[in-house]
Amino acid sequence: MTKTFYDELKDELQKGAYEKDHPFRYFTLGTVGLDQLARLRTVVLRQVTDDLVLTFYTDKRSKKITHMKENDKVSLLFYNPKKLFQLKIEGIATIESDKKSLRKVWNAIGPKSKMDYITTIAPGSTIKSLDAITYLEKKDFFCMVEVKPFKIEYLKLNRPKHIRVRFSQNKGQWTGEFLVP
């Protein structure tokens, strides 16, 4: 009975990766490092596989990478305001290390987007002015992160009754159970 909701969340996630105006294109990523403080930021959904592995890009010098090396469990939050539809995802983050895969994606990225990964100093560093930002010509800090979900909560605000379903992965299979919204 929960399959319909699973199919919907999968379809919406995949649309988020490929439709530039889809509300799931930008999502909130939560990490917790050794400091035990939840850190949230918005990232761009780049790919969703059929088995729901989600990919985003970042600068490998960013704090989120440090956190994921300290604690690979992450949370993702997606929201579609028109459909009043929210997904909360818990998963395990893996930092892509295959240089061939990274180069293939890097070569497909446009020149303006590449600027996000070639600053001379790391993201989050203090600078005196915006003019202090300079760029490298022959080096980059491009990084891909894959998140493999193990739990997904589906919530749709719907009258007369809201719908909430928790999906859990067990031995490669997703099972769903309804929750009180």
Side-chain angles (χ1 to χ4, degrees), residues 168-175:
S168 302
Q169 192 175 60
N170 187 12
K171 297 179 183 172
Q173 297 295 317
W174 286 99
T175 57

Side-chain angles (χ1 to χ4, degrees), residues 31-39 63 66-68 70-71:
T31 60
V32 176
L34 294 177
D35 61 0
Q36 298 299 303
L37 182 63
R39 305 291 175 137
K63 194 68 169 174
T66 302
H67 289 166
M68 287 183 277
E70 296 169 351
N71 177 359

Side-chain angles (χ1 to χ4, degrees), residues 1 11 15 34 65 71 79 84 104 107 110 113-114 120 133 139 141 168 173 179:
M1 190 162 169
D11 183 59
K15 285 178 182 175
L34 294 177
I65 293 296
N71 177 359
Y79 185 65
L84 300 176
K104 182 179 178 183
N107 290 335
S113 294
K114 285 183 176 180
T120 54
I133 300 172
K139 185 174 181 175
F141 295 96
S168 302
Q173 297 295 317
L179 303 173

Side-chain angles (χ1 to χ4, degrees), residues 68-163:
M68 287 183 277
K69 287 178 179 177
E70 296 169 351
N71 177 359
D72 62 359
K73 292 184 179 89
V74 297
S75 294
L76 316 178
L77 180 66
F78 296 84
Y79 185 65
N80 184 330
K82 289 182 180 170
K83 293 185 177 184
L84 300 176
F85 177 38
Q86 172 183 281
L87 290 179
K88 292 191 309 182
I89 298 176
E90 295 174 5
I92 303 297
T94 303
I95 301 161
E96 178 62 63
S97 59
D98 182 59
K99 291 181 182 186
K100 199 175 200 179
S101 296
L102 289 167
R103 285 304 99 196
K104 182 179 178 183
V105 174
W106 176 252
N107 290 335
I109 295 174
K112 288 183 182 177
S113 294
K114 285 183 176 180
M115 298 200 51
D116 296 338
Y117 314 103
I118 61 170
T119 57
T120 54
I121 56 177
S125 299
T126 303
I127 54 176
K128 292 186 181 201
S129 76
L130 294 177
D131 295 331
I133 300 172
T134 57
Y135 301 92
L136 301 166
E137 289 185 32
K138 298 195 187 262
K139 185 174 181 175
D140 67 83
F141 295 96
F142 176 72
C143 181
M144 293 188 324
V145 176
E146 292 183 343
V147 177
K148 184 174 184 176
F150 56 81
K151 188 185 301 179
I152 301 173
E153 277 198 25
Y154 168 114
L155 175 65
K156 185 170 276 185
L157 302 178
N158 194 19
R159 295 286 178 211
K161 294 182 179 180
H162 303 316
I163 302 165

